[in-house]
């Protein structure tokens, strides 16, 4: 049974939502199971994981796995640690970079923006997503500093990215969906939140896409086991069909396929100072994708998911998942933090923050058709000092003479940009 699909954003969204929901319900029913039966299987599994997380929390255990960079470099990460990473879908890498190097990068970013009069020229948030944090600015729309590029193209970053990519099933059906040993260089911004800051944080959401997750042919295949009633076979670590399809354009889109979202700490941060939280259950995507098909959701509604906004996770529709929200442990400058690309995450609010809260966003985005296509845009942005196309067109760095240059690229950087 073939599903209707829209490779570009449908002109009549309510009509398309009604059509796809009816088609998905029919396809699930053709398996001999109802939507309710299929969802109940998922709900039982998720409820067991939520209970386990809450029990661990009650015992005072850290929910987030922590692995040392030294073990990743030496290839001595234990099977138990790998199992915990795959179970929770998130990770802190201790000592990913030397603390002094990370602090030096932080200082270098300050020097870079001050030397180029960024604060005098800053025009306010370029998007309404991070605009909500009350930044002055908190998110710097800067992409091409020496600090960011040195971290992106470093051997230490490449090793961690390859380790994370290798957790995914990247070959099946005679196809290599991505190359785990080669990352595309996905440029993102910087957050610098000063001591004493008040921040509203960011609400619970996820970033893999919006309505395209139900409506495009590639994603319908990626989530085939959810949509054909065979939910027990769904594997959140299977990359099949996820590395070439389109994504509907929007203010928070990501043109790249990321195995993990991530950031590298440029300051020490305590766990109670407005830090990242996730719902550490990679399989929760099954719950999120099937929930709109239940009868209590209006026929032209997708539990709040629409285009040009983030995919929201809310108490109204996803209350069970919200119970498991868990924050990172204390981190030091040079540690890195990673979470599965499908995972619900948020940033907690903070008042009168103790210490700085500084990070640079660097994901794991392995080389694949989708990322190779985006790399052409990234190359152009890099060479001209522009903001990459996934981000607001602010272009602060175009005239900055001291931005990272092509001559500064090493082989990892050149490969990540598709230059060699």
């Amino acid at each position: 049974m073939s599903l209707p699909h829209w490779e570009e954003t449908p002109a009549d969204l309510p009509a398309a939502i009604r059509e796809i929901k009816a088609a998905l319900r029919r396809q699930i029913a053709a398996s001999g199971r109802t939507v309710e039966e299929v969802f109940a299987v998922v709900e039982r599994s998720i409820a067991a994981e939520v209970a386990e997380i809450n029990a661990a929390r009650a015992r005072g255990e850290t929910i987030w796995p922590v692995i040392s960079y030294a073990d990743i470099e030496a290839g001595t990460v234990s099977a138990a640690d790998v199992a915990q990473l795959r179970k929770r879908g998130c990770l802190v890498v201790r000592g990913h970079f030397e603390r002094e190097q990370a602090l030096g990068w932080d200082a270098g970013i300050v020097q870079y923006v001050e030397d180029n009069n960024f604060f005098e020229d800053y025009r306010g948030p370029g998007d309404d997503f991070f605009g909500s944090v009350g930044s002055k600015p908190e998110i710097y729309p800067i992409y091409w500093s020496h600090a960011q590029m040195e971290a992106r193209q470093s051997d230490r970053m490449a090793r961690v990215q390859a380790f994370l990519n290798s957790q995914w099933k990247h070959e099946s059906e005679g196809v290599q969906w991505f190359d785990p040993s080669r990352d595309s260089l996905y440029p993102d911004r910087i957050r610098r939140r000063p001591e004493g800051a008040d921040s509203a944080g960011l609400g619970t959401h996820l970033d893999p896409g919006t309505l395209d997750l139900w409506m495009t042919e590639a994603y319908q295949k990626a989530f085939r086991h959810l949509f054909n009633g065979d939910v027990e076979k769904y594997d959140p670590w299977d990359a099949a069909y996820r590395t070439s399809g389109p994504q509907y354009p929007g203010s928070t889109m990501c043109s790249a396929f990321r195995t993990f979202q991530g950031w590298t700490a440029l300051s020490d941060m305590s766990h109670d100072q407005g830090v990242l939280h996730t719902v550490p259950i990679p399989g929760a995507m099954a719950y999120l994708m099937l929930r709109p098909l239940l009868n209590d959701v209006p026929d032209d509604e997708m539990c709040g998911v629409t285009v040009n906004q983030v995919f929201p996770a809310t108490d109204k529709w996803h209350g069970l998942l919200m119970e498991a929200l868990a924050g990172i442990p204390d981190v030091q400058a040079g540690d890195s933090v990673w979470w599965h690309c499908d995972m619900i995450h948020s940033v907690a609010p903070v008042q009168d923050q103790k210490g700085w809260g500084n990070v640079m966003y660097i994901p794991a985005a392995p080389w694949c058709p989708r990322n190779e296509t985006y790399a052409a845009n990234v190359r152009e942005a890099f060479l001209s000092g522009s903001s990459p196309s996934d981000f607001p067109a602010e272009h602060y760095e175009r005239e900055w003479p001291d931005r990272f240059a092509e001559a500064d690229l090493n082989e990892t950087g050149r490969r990540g940009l598709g230059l060699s």
Side-chain angles (χ1 to χ4, degrees):
M1 186 184 297
S2 63
L3 293 166
H5 57 90
W6 297 260
E7 301 308 289
E8 296 179 354
T9 310
D12 185 341
L13 277 181
I17 290 170
R18 287 192 293 270
E19 185 177 347
I20 192 60
K21 286 175 71 167
L24 289 169
R25 287 177 180 134
R26 284 195 300 272
Q27 181 165 289
I28 291 171
S31 72
R33 304 167 94 175
T34 66
V35 169
E36 288 73 21
E37 286 169 341
V38 166
F39 185 77
V41 171
V42 171
E43 191 171 33
R44 280 194 299 274
S45 171
I46 299 292
E49 291 201 61
V50 171
E52 192 179 314
I53 288 164
N54 285 332
R57 205 186 331 241
R59 294 191 297 268
E61 296 173 13
T62 299
I63 304 303
W64 277 65
V66 177
I67 294 176
S68 75
Y69 172 76
D71 281 339
I72 293 173
E73 184 179 47
T76 53
V77 178
S78 71
D81 280 344
V82 170
Q84 192 71 354
L85 162 60
R86 291 174 60 83
K87 184 179 184 63
R88 296 276 186 252
C90 54
L91 177 67
V92 173
V93 177
R94 283 272 186 250
H96 187 164
F97 295 101
E98 297 293 340
R99 184 168 182 275
E100 292 309 312
Q101 179 169 38
L103 294 173
W105 279 336
D106 191 47
I109 288 163
V110 173
Q111 188 78 47
Y112 178 63
V113 297
E114 287 183 348
D115 286 351
N116 290 288
N117 301 313
F118 170 68
F119 297 109
E120 291 86 346
D121 296 338
Y122 181 63
R123 299 183 293 272
D127 60 32
D128 58 4
F129 180 44
F130 279 116
S132 68
V133 300
S135 56
K136 299 182 180 176
E138 183 174 314
I139 302 297
Y140 291 23
I142 302 302
Y143 304 89
W144 309 118
S145 68
H146 281 261
Q148 289 162 288
M149 288 295 292
E150 285 168 14
R152 288 173 193 146
Q153 70 171 8
S154 75
D155 290 344
R156 294 172 83 96
M157 183 58 71
R159 282 192 197 100
V160 170
Q161 288 166 328
F163 170 73
L164 294 168
N165 292 339
S166 70
Q167 304 309 317
W168 283 70
K169 181 179 180 181
H170 55 273
E171 286 189 49
S172 62
E173 303 180 24
V175 178
Q176 183 181 35
W177 302 103
F178 66 77
D179 179 352
S181 65
R182 177 184 180 184
D183 247 67
S184 63
L185 192 149
Y186 187 84
D188 203 332
R189 298 176 282 194
I190 291 161
R191 186 190 80 195
R192 298 193 83 252
R193 193 197 295 149
E195 294 186 84
D198 296 337
S199 174
L202 292 173
T204 43
H205 68 283
L206 49 158
D207 296 332
T210 56
L211 293 178
D212 42 327
L213 301 176
W214 289 272
M215 292 183 175
T216 60
E217 190 172 24
Y219 273 120
Q220 288 169 356
K221 289 180 178 177
F223 295 120
R224 60 200 178 281
H225 295 302
L226 304 180
F227 296 155
N228 67 13
D230 202 9
V231 290
E232 290 84 356
K233 289 186 177 175
Y234 172 65
D235 178 4
W237 299 99
D238 183 359
Y241 302 103
R242 298 182 61 141
T243 58
S244 59
Q247 185 164 31
Y248 294 166
S251 59
T252 57
M253 73 176 293
C254 177
S255 298
F257 167 67
R258 297 175 290 193
T259 55
F260 284 79
Q261 293 176 252
W263 50 253
T264 299
L266 300 178
S267 65
D268 301 342
M269 282 171 273
S270 297
H271 68 278
D272 57 356
Q273 297 300 306
V275 299
L276 178 78
H277 287 59
T278 64
V279 174
I281 305 173
M285 197 66 179
Y287 188 107
L288 292 156
M289 296 302 293
L290 292 170
R291 183 68 185 85
L293 305 182
L294 295 184
N295 288 330
D296 63 337
V297 184
D299 280 345
D300 60 357
E301 163 77 49
M302 283 295 212
C303 297
V305 181
T306 185
V307 294
N308 294 318
Q309 295 179 26
V310 295
F311 187 133
T314 62
D315 286 320
K316 177 178 180 180
W317 300 117
H318 314 113
L320 173 64
L321 303 178
M322 298 299 100
E323 292 178 34
L325 201 64
I328 60 170
D330 296 347
V331 294
Q332 281 203 322
D335 293 344
S336 60
V337 172
W338 304 87
W339 62 103
H340 186 291
C341 59
D342 287 349
M343 279 174 44
I344 297 166
H345 56 286
S346 66
V347 178
V350 65
Q351 287 191 305
D352 191 21
Q353 177 176 287
K354 308 295 184 286
W356 282 80
N358 303 347
V359 308
M360 52 181 159
Y361 299 102
I362 303 175
W367 199 255
C368 63
R370 184 168 159 183
N371 295 356
E372 185 174 0
T373 298
Y374 188 61
N377 173 277
V378 171
R379 280 196 300 278
E380 193 178 306
F382 168 64
L383 294 172
S384 63
S386 303
S387 303
S389 64
D390 271 1
F391 298 90
E394 295 168 279
H395 310 311
Y396 287 102
E397 295 168 275
R398 280 181 172 171
E399 305 304 321
W400 293 12
D402 53 345
R403 68 175 190 263
F404 195 89
E406 186 175 4
D408 301 317
L409 291 168
N410 64 15
E411 185 56 23
T412 300
R414 293 186 64 80
R415 278 164 51 86
L417 291 170
L419 290 168
S420 64

